Amino acid sequence: ISPNHLLDNFWNLDHGIEAIAQAQTLRASGFYPRALAILQREIEALASLPDSGHMAIALHQLGITYRLLEKPAEAQAALDRSLDIARSLQLPSQVSSTRISLGNLAQEQGQTTLAQSHYQAALASAPTDILKTKALANQLALVTSSADSHDQQSVQGLIHQLNKQLIQFSSDRQSLRQSLEIRLNLAATVLEHPQIKFDIVAFLHQTLQQAQSLDDQRAIAYASGYLGQAYENNQQWNQAQPLTEAALQAAQIQRDNFQEYQWAWQLGRITQARAQASGEGSAREYSSWRSQSKAAYQTSLNALKQLRGDLATVSPNLQFSFRNQVEPVYREFVSLLLTPERNSPKTIASSTKAQTKASPSNIPSNALQQSLETIEALKLAELDNFLNDACLTARPQSIEQLDPRAAVIYPILLDDRIEIIVSHRGTLHHHTVPVSTQALATTVQDFQQKLVTRSRRNYQQPGQQLYEWLIRPLLSDLTAAEIETLVFVPDGPLTNIPLAALFDGEQFLMEQFNVAIAPSLQLLPAKSAPAIEPHALVAGITEQHQGFASLPHVEQEMEGVQLLFPGNRLLNESFTREQLEKSLVNTQTPIVHIATHGQFSSSADETFILAWDEQININQLQELLKSRDRQNLSPTELLVLSACETAVGDEFAALGLAGMAVRAGARSTLASLWRINDESTAQLMETFYQQLAQPSTTKSAALREAQLAMLDHPVYSHPYYWSAFVLMGNWQ
């Protein structure tokens, strides 16, 4: 784990309390539940004895572990009790260190004033230099990460005070070792906030020398890597590269995947910058730097693959942000792969700006394939991070074997362009669209807002612009290949819009093709059964309940489903979590249709569907649907969530829909991006199921026919009423 994190006062491992030392070792390696179990057993064993310093330390470590497991209430209780015992026994070191941990907990909960109070109290009562320095380091982390980080006077004051405290450390080996972590923490904070005035290069040279004198390989790697980063920030590539290579080598020797990913990524950036700098010079030199950059990025991604479990389970409030520190590795590598080799980056950039429309490229097929594999890996990592789990199993899928009349479209969003890769009939096609991420995001937001507000035609302009960017460059190839279904693996803000409503000036996209969504082609379930059995479990809520509005036409919607697909029905009070589970395990039902309020969010905890007795989140829904497996029943063929919506103002809310679809384990999920008039929903669903009941009709074709019927409706023709429904997963 990077030193750039909140510093807790870890108990000295040389201390004779073996169980606590073992728990700390496990926790430092990321085994939080195992550490928790050991500490709980230790505290239980001490419970019958009088309060002691041993108990105070055990409770302190328990509180830290609960914080890492994102259980703030339990962490607060353990730390409060530890502090009470330490005070009553007059243990100043323990009082100060527990105060630091309470400050860290408050900081993570956004309670900056309380955190500051704890840090100041820890500083005032600290009997040792190490505790004083840790309190100052955490105060600095608080100030630089808060909304008041523009208060440079406070920041510079803390920097000066902290540096002065570090200089005063004694020169004995134990003190120097204790100060190393704090020095690295300070360096990480300064590098993250370049506006801080501090001679970081000189400071890191001193830190590296100290680490080398102690032969601390982990600290040597971090000090070398951070020093390389400081030189990278100053564009001093000759100094940055060897230091970064040394950090990477040290990380690999230690088999430290986290550092390996970090320094390999840094090396990839540096060598790519050197390639750009040599763009007007030797073609051989340019090609050499690019090859080194590709190799470094691949090393970083391989390390991230090894880290999947750790990255998925670590607290999102801690060491890194997925979107800032993981996702860019994938995108930068794809950008590198999809930049033509034969031209220098400067020439490519200038010619791209001059273009007014998409252009096909001469990127080799192996680079296109590698780009797809990288984006697929990103989608898996993104869902791992969302689900806080790393149990997704991916397997390569061949689109021509699944459906020869389907094409998979990957729009890959990079800073200055959209790279579109299309896979069909065993071939890959590639187009580059010169549009910035900001321009795309603005157009997407405009399109989304105008669809939802139901203005008659002003959605057409942004819808047409998106069509020109995403579809027009591909149209001739798709038409020549007689493609019937477009399967999008959407990226960024494109996940939040109904792609079926893109407009070519005369027609919507769904008038031309069946449209489906896949969170990742590798996550597609096995091919559907030849025909859907005529049975469905339907559940819904019509009445105002738990603060949610009534849905008076839900009963009509449920009746329409059951006319064609009869089966169990759970309405209002009968639609409880328990009754849903019983219905799932007692019937061989291929379709589960749920008409109730729900929300998709970029937070898994805020993604749910509403039952009568409670909100069912995605993990609970997974458990319910898995209950079918335990009864050896066939998996759910189609899950319909007809009254859900994406969280307002959440840029990545549709990630919740993808997470819901993956967690549900259904072969296909049909859901709405926003809550529509429930009377029009009932009509659309009636047509959808009528089409689905026809022999050989795919789910994507049934949805298209239902949307076309709505388009012809005198009242519900606006895409607000029909485009919100998206089909995710297997479209057949």
Side-chain angles (χ1 to χ4, degrees):
I1 292 175
S2 164
N4 186 20
H5 66 282
L6 302 171
L7 289 164
D8 285 292
N9 181 37
F10 292 113
W11 181 248
N12 187 343
L13 293 183
D14 294 332
H15 193 280
I17 307 176
E18 185 176 339
I20 295 177
Q22 183 186 4
Q24 287 182 279
T25 301
L26 287 167
R27 191 178 65 212
S29 301
F31 299 112
Y32 301 154
R34 288 169 61 184
L36 180 68
I38 290 172
L39 290 166
Q40 287 173 331
R41 286 197 300 270
E42 186 73 6
I43 290 168
E44 185 178 352
L46 294 169
S48 60
L49 302 175
D51 286 343
S52 63
H54 187 162
M55 176 65 96
I57 294 166
L59 286 166
H60 181 199
Q61 296 305 314
L62 182 69
I64 295 170
T65 307
Y66 273 132
R67 176 174 67 81
L68 293 170
L69 286 166
E70 295 187 80
K71 296 185 176 181
E74 292 87 342
Q76 186 76 48
L79 292 172
D80 284 343
R81 189 176 168 207
S82 174
L83 182 61
D84 288 342
I85 294 173
R87 280 171 168 169
S88 67
L89 296 177
Q90 297 183 0
L91 305 172
S93 290
Q94 190 58 42
V95 168
S96 182
S97 60
T98 306
R99 282 281 198 185
I100 291 173
S101 293
L102 282 164
N104 295 345
L105 179 63
Q107 184 178 160
E108 287 188 356
Q109 299 302 304
Q111 300 169 318
T112 55
T113 302
L114 179 59
Q116 183 75 287
S117 174
H118 281 303
Y119 293 145
Q120 289 173 347
L123 182 63
S125 63
T128 65
D129 287 337
I130 186 68
L131 285 171
K132 289 177 182 177
T133 312
K134 285 185 176 181
L136 285 170
N138 283 283
Q139 274 188 280
L140 178 64
L142 177 68
V143 172
T144 54
S145 64
S146 71
D148 298 326
S149 59
H150 59 272
D151 183 2
Q152 288 300 307
Q153 188 173 356
S154 297
V155 172
Q156 295 300 149
L158 281 169
I159 289 278
H160 175 75
Q161 194 177 356
L162 185 53
N163 196 30
K164 182 179 178 181
Q165 189 70 40
L166 285 167
I167 293 171
Q168 292 175 353
F169 264 68
S170 71
S171 58
D172 67 274
R173 193 172 184 84
Q174 183 177 357
S175 297
L176 289 174
R177 190 176 293 279
Q178 288 177 321
S179 70
L180 261 181
E181 192 79 3
I182 300 171
R183 293 182 72 92
L184 292 170
N185 181 279
L186 173 58
T189 299
V190 172
L191 287 168
E192 190 176 342
H193 301 276
Q195 73 274 17
I196 295 175
K197 297 177 182 178
F198 186 70
D199 190 350
I200 187 62
V201 171
F203 179 80
L204 278 168
H205 273 295
Q206 295 168 2
T207 303
L208 179 57
Q209 290 171 1
Q210 183 173 320
Q212 289 169 336
S213 71
L214 295 168
D215 195 28
D216 187 328
Q217 293 301 312
R218 176 179 174 276
I220 289 171
Y222 270 115
S224 300
Y226 284 155
L227 191 52
Q229 184 180 345
Y231 282 121
E232 179 195 9
N233 292 344
N234 294 328
Q235 299 185 10
Q236 294 175 274
W237 317 123
N238 288 335
Q239 292 84 0
Q241 184 171 348
L243 284 161
T244 304
E245 288 172 338
L248 175 59
Q249 184 178 20
Q252 289 172 329
I253 289 172
Q254 299 172 81
R255 298 182 179 180
D256 185 332
N257 290 325
F258 190 92
Q259 283 206 71
E260 184 179 6
Y261 123 76
Q262 201 171 2
W263 307 134
W265 177 23
Q266 184 167 296
L267 183 60
R269 297 195 306 267
I270 291 168
T271 47
Q272 172 65 355
R274 300 195 78 167
Q276 290 175 329
S278 68
E280 301 297 335
S282 164
R284 180 178 295 179
E285 182 183 7
Y286 165 70
S287 180
S288 173
W289 288 127
R290 275 179 57 90
S291 295
Q292 290 183 53
S293 183
K294 288 179 182 179
Y297 272 107
Q298 190 63 66
T299 298
S300 181
L301 291 173
N302 290 341
L304 280 172
K305 186 176 181 180
Q306 295 298 317
L307 277 169
R308 273 185 71 188
D310 294 334
L311 295 181
T313 56
V314 75
S315 165
N317 293 323
L318 293 180
Q319 283 69 2
F320 65 91
S321 159
F322 180 85
R323 297 200 180 280
N324 292 334
Q325 295 188 37
V326 175
E327 185 175 331
V329 188
Y330 294 89
R331 295 196 186 279
E332 289 169 17
F333 186 41
V334 170
S335 180
L336 182 60
L337 289 169
L338 297 181
T339 299
E341 285 276 359
R342 287 180 293 179
N343 299 311
S344 75
K346 290 183 179 179
T347 305
I348 292 166
S350 60
S351 65
T352 297
K353 290 178 181 177
Q355 294 171 354
T356 58
K357 61 181 181 179
S359 61
S361 72
N362 57 354
I363 301 296
S365 59
N366 63 333
L368 293 179
Q369 185 61 44
Q370 194 173 10
S371 298
L372 282 191
E373 291 169 359
T374 303
I375 287 299
E376 286 282 354
L378 170 59
K379 297 302 179 184
L380 288 176
E382 187 177 51
L383 281 168
D384 280 346
N385 187 69
F386 170 78
L387 296 169
N388 205 27
D389 193 357
C391 66
L392 297 180
T393 56
R395 54 195 177 280
Q397 296 276 11
S398 169
I399 184 63
E400 58 270 17
Q401 291 179 355
L402 286 171
D403 184 353
R405 290 296 183 90
V408 182
I409 300 175
Y410 293 83
I412 304 168
L413 309 189
L414 303 176
D415 287 341
D416 59 346
R417 65 198 193 274
I418 306 172
E419 299 283 6
I420 303 175
I421 301 178
V422 185
S423 173
H424 65 81
R425 300 281 174 84
T427 61
L428 296 177
H429 301 263
H430 169 232
H431 294 267
T432 300
V433 183
V435 57
S436 70
T437 302
Q438 184 56 52
L440 177 71
T442 300
T443 306
V444 165
Q445 184 179 33
D446 187 32
F447 182 52
Q448 187 179 38
Q449 289 176 345
K450 287 174 178 175
L451 281 175
V452 174
T453 54
R454 281 173 280 182
S455 298
R456 289 308 301 169
R457 294 193 179 275
N458 62 358
Y459 62 82
Q460 292 183 355
Q461 190 277 326
Q464 190 167 353
Q465 179 61 80
L466 291 169
Y467 188 99
E468 293 300 315
W469 287 335
L470 301 174
I471 306 300
R472 185 74 69 187
L474 327 174
L475 205 52
S476 59
D477 287 340
L478 296 174
T479 303
E482 299 181 335
I483 295 300
E484 295 178 352
T485 303
L486 303 184
V487 183
F488 289 90
V489 181
D491 196 18
L494 294 175
T495 59
N496 274 8
I497 61 169
L499 294 163
L502 299 188
F503 191 66
D504 73 352
E506 296 181 0
Q507 288 186 313
F508 294 102
L509 184 61
M510 68 85 184
E511 294 182 81
Q512 302 166 332
F513 302 94
N514 303 325
V515 178
I517 304 294
S520 160
L521 192 61
Q522 293 188 43
L523 288 177
L524 282 179
K527 189 173 180 178
S528 302
I532 294 180
E533 294 295 324
H535 300 290
L537 165 62
V538 295
I541 295 178
T542 63
E543 300 177 8
Q544 182 178 344
H545 190 60
Q546 295 189 37
F548 291 88
S550 63
L551 298 169
H553 291 89
V554 157
E555 189 167 7
Q556 173 191 341
E557 177 182 334
M558 293 169 67
E559 289 172 352
V561 175
Q562 290 197 298
L563 282 174
L564 294 160
F565 295 86
N568 286 12
R569 174 171 122 157
L570 304 173
L571 180 64
N572 294 330
E573 292 91 339
S574 64
F575 176 24
T576 64
R577 180 180 171 182
E578 181 181 0
Q579 287 300 318
L580 179 61
E581 182 172 14
K582 286 182 179 178
S583 297
L584 285 168
V585 299
N586 289 333
T587 57
Q588 185 86 346
T589 305
I591 297 175
V592 178
H593 184 106
I594 300 177
T596 182
H597 290 283
Q599 178 176 276
F600 306 121
S601 167
S602 59
S603 167
D605 292 337
E606 297 172 8
T607 297
F608 65 89
I609 58 172
L610 182 71
W612 188 261
D613 56 339
E614 62 179 300
Q615 293 179 4
I616 301 175
N617 65 36
I618 57 175
N619 291 326
Q620 293 167 330
L621 181 63
Q622 178 193 27
E623 286 304 309
L624 291 173
L625 292 169
K626 271 189 173 179
S627 60
R628 296 169 64 90
D629 296 339
R630 291 190 286 271
Q631 300 296 320
N632 294 318
L633 298 173
S634 59
T636 303
E637 182 67 35
L638 174 64
L639 171 66
V640 179
L641 305 169
S642 73
C644 295
E645 59 188 325
T646 52
V648 177
D650 188 340
E651 181 181 356
F652 302 100
L655 187 59
L657 171 56
M660 182 75 82
V662 170
R663 267 287 190 253
R667 287 196 173 102
S668 310
T669 299
L670 177 62
S672 54
L673 294 174
W674 57 80
R675 189 168 66 83
I676 309 98
N677 173 294
D678 62 323
E679 184 175 6
S680 66
T681 297
Q683 293 193 31
L684 182 143
M685 287 296 167
E686 181 179 355
T687 307
F688 171 74
Y689 281 104
Q690 286 173 350
Q691 293 296 318
L692 196 63
Q694 302 301 313
S696 303
T697 301
T698 65
K699 302 183 194 90
S700 59
L703 176 60
R704 177 173 177 251
E705 290 299 327
Q707 291 175 326
L708 287 170
M710 297 297 285
L711 187 62
D712 289 336
H713 195 283
V715 177
Y716 301 132
S717 62
H718 192 281
Y720 163 82
Y721 294 104
W722 52 261
S723 68
F725 293 95
V726 295
L727 182 68
M728 182 164 288
N730 195 297
W731 58 91
Q732 295 176 294

